[in-house]
Amino acid sequence: MDKTVNKVVIAVEITSDVVCPWCWIVKKRLDLAIERLKDEFTFNVTWKPFLLQLIHNVPERGIPLKDYLWQKYGKGYAEDIFSANSSVNRNAAEVGIVFSSSRLMVPTKKAHMLLNHASKHGKQHELLEAIFQAYHCCARNINDDSVLIEIAGSVGLDPAGARGALHSPEALQDFDRAWTQSQDISGVPRFDVYLQDKPSESHLVFSGSQSVDTFVTVFRRLRVSS
C-alpha cells in the first residue's frame, strides 16, 4: 500500500540567513521533526533569504566574527558567545554541531542567490546544509565564488549553472524579489507554516529557537484543523 495516499501536505517556509547559528540549529531540529512525522505528512520546505550583514554594514571582504561581535556588542558578549558554555554552543552540541572559532562575518547575498538556484533543481535543502557546514564548522568564506561553486558541486549541482546563478541578471532579479518579501521581518529564523491546499485558512507564523517537540505539535495541530 502506498503510504503517500491521503497524506496531509504541509508547506514550511523558513526565512533565515546562513551566518545565523540559531538558523542551523533549528534546521537540524526541523529535520528531526520531519523524520519523526514522515509517515504522517508530506512536507514542502522552502528557504527564503534574510540578510543580517546588510543591517550591520559588513564589508565585502568580511571581518573575523569575534571582532565583529566585539565591535557591535562589546568584549564581554563576544567572549561569552565563543564560550563552550554559551547557550548557542550548548544547543548546537545537542544536535551535533561544533562551531569554528575562525568564522568570518561575510555578506551572504551570493549564498542566497545560489540557494534560490538550487530550489529550481530540488537541491535547496541539501545545499543549505552544506553551506551551513562549510561556514559554521569549517570557517570557509561563503562570499567567495569558488567556494560556493565547490559546495554546489558537492550536492550534485552543475558547476557552470552555479556560476551563472551567482552573476546572471535573472538570478539577481529572482533574489531581489525574494529579499523584498523578507524585509519587514525583524528576526530569524521565522516560520510560515500552512496546509498546502488551504494556505489562507491554516497559516501559522512563529519565530525563534523552536524544539523538535514544538514542530511536531504545530504540524499535528494543522492536521486537526484540516
Side-chain angles (χ1 to χ4, degrees), residues 64-65 82 99-104 135 138-139:
L65 179 60
F82 279 87
F99 292 122
S100 169
S101 61
S102 302
R103 285 166 288 169
L104 294 174
Y135 174 73
C138 303

Side-chain angles (χ1 to χ4, degrees), residues 196-217:
Q196 190 76 58
D197 61 346
K198 299 179 180 178
S200 60
E201 301 171 31
S202 59
H203 195 161
L204 299 175
V205 179
F206 51 97
S207 60
S209 176
Q210 308 299 329
S211 68
V212 175
D213 288 341
T214 296
F215 284 123
V216 169
T217 298

Side-chain angles (χ1 to χ4, degrees), residues 25-100:
I25 292 168
V26 175
K27 179 187 178 295
K28 291 283 195 182
R29 293 172 180 168
L30 173 65
D31 288 345
L32 290 170
I34 289 174
E35 177 64 22
R36 187 186 298 182
L37 298 176
K38 65 183 179 181
D39 293 330
E40 299 179 42
F41 303 99
T42 296
F43 293 92
N44 290 333
V45 180
T46 305
W47 294 85
K48 296 186 172 183
F50 191 83
L51 301 178
L52 288 169
Q53 82 285 349
L54 281 186
I55 298 173
H56 303 306
N57 298 316
V58 174
E60 281 294 313
R61 66 183 181 281
I63 58 175
L65 179 60
K66 190 174 292 186
D67 293 349
Y68 166 79
L69 294 173
W70 190 336
Q71 294 169 18
K72 189 70 182 177
Y73 302 108
K75 180 180 179 181
Y77 179 87
E79 290 180 345
D80 179 63
I81 287 294
F82 279 87
S83 166
N85 293 320
S86 68
S87 177
V88 67
N89 283 316
R90 284 188 283 103
N91 278 272
E94 290 174 1
V95 290
I97 297 171
V98 178
F99 292 122
S100 169

Side-chain angles (χ1 to χ4, degrees), residues 125-176:
H125 203 70
E126 188 177 354
L127 177 65
L128 179 60
E129 183 68 22
I131 291 174
F132 274 143
Q133 177 75 30
Y135 174 73
H136 289 286
C137 294
C138 303
R140 303 198 69 185
N141 183 350
I142 56 169
N143 192 40
D144 182 277
D145 285 11
S146 62
V147 170
L148 287 172
I149 292 167
E150 177 188 332
I151 297 170
S154 75
V155 301
L157 287 168
D158 175 58
R163 185 177 295 106
L166 297 176
H167 296 287
S168 76
E170 294 81 6
L172 181 59
Q173 289 176 359
D174 287 345
F175 166 80
D176 286 342

Side-chain angles (χ1 to χ4, degrees), residues 13-32:
E13 299 177 357
I14 311 101
T15 305
S16 71
D17 198 358
V18 291
V19 294
C20 165
W22 285 106
C23 292
W24 191 19
I25 292 168
V26 175
K27 179 187 178 295
K28 291 283 195 182
R29 293 172 180 168
L30 173 65
D31 288 345
L32 290 170

